[in-house]
Amino acid sequence: MTPAGGGAWFTGSRQQVLYKLPLRDGIPGQDAVKRIDLTGDLSYQEGFNLNGIESPPDRRGLLAVQSNTGKLFRIDPASGVTTEVDLGGELVPAGDGLLLDGRKPYVVQSGMTNAASLLEVNASGTRGTVVERIADPRMEMQSPTTAGLFADQVYIPLARFAVPPEPTTEYRAIAVDRR
């Protein structure tokens, strides 16, 4: 989810759609949710597709990561047209969450990756490079899912998908230094 353009945007990881929840006058009813079919470069595959959504640095459009292919896409929210972001041949597999810090999106990677990749993108979010892969042993087998910034730290919640949820199951977030 990302707030942009007077609303909150959500991806559908099993349906090739984008949802906009307008937030101008409080939380609206279900009939106000806008569904936008996604076209263009994006092609849904088996498994989890779009996860994580953010605005690019110029705040015109949206960025989302396709978990099962490791590709990053720029989305025109008005039309639903997607364009693959040129990462110079790099991929960010198992992307589950996105966090934009200036021109640097963090892609939190769950699954077997259990890491985060720091990218640098141009203002429109059409080109970028993987600057660093952040591997922290505290993420191993813990299913990192998203990220939030506070001061000089990036906080990454650990969903622990492989652990059966019990009333005593512990969940936590880890902090890594902001890059």
Side-chain angles (χ1 to χ4, degrees):
M1 177 198 82
T2 188
W9 294 91
F10 299 87
T11 59
S13 69
R14 298 210 187 257
Q15 296 179 18
Q16 197 162 326
V17 297
L18 185 67
Y19 300 96
K20 180 183 181 184
L21 179 64
L23 298 175
R24 295 195 199 304
D25 300 314
I27 298 177
Q30 180 67 31
D31 59 330
V33 175
K34 185 175 181 184
R35 179 188 160 119
I36 301 161
D37 292 322
L38 297 174
T39 62
D41 292 345
L42 177 66
S43 176
Y44 267 40
Q45 314 288 319
E46 286 293 317
F48 290 106
N49 287 275
L50 284 191
N51 268 321
I53 189 165
E54 256 298 356
S55 294
D58 69 4
R59 311 303 279 174
R60 296 180 185 160
L62 299 165
L63 294 175
V65 62
Q66 189 175 16
S67 296
N68 49 5
T69 66
K71 295 178 180 180
L72 187 66
F73 291 90
R74 187 180 192 291
I75 304 168
D76 178 341
S79 66
V81 173
T82 63
T83 306
E84 186 177 343
V85 176
D86 179 2
L87 295 178
E90 292 277 345
L91 297 173
V92 284
D96 195 9
L98 277 176
L99 170 70
L100 186 67
D101 183 12
R103 287 180 96 132
K104 296 180 180 179
Y106 289 84
V107 179
V108 178
Q109 297 164 266
S110 198
M112 295 303 293
T113 306
N114 290 302
S117 290
L118 177 62
L119 312 179
E120 189 158 332
V121 296
N122 64 354
S124 62
T126 57
R127 282 182 302 162
T129 56
V130 176
V131 175
E132 180 180 1
R133 302 228 189 244
I134 303 164
D136 185 301
R138 297 172 296 170
M139 286 191 263
E140 286 181 29
M141 305 309 294
Q142 300 298 313
S143 308
T145 58
T146 192
L149 284 175
F150 182 74
D152 291 335
Q153 301 286 299
V154 176
Y155 289 88
I156 301 172
L158 304 174
R160 303 188 70 200
F161 293 133
V163 176
E166 301 290 337
T168 58
T169 303
E170 291 185 18
Y171 295 93
R172 63 185 179 277
I174 63 167
V176 296
D177 291 334
R178 189 175 183 181
R179 301 329 204 233

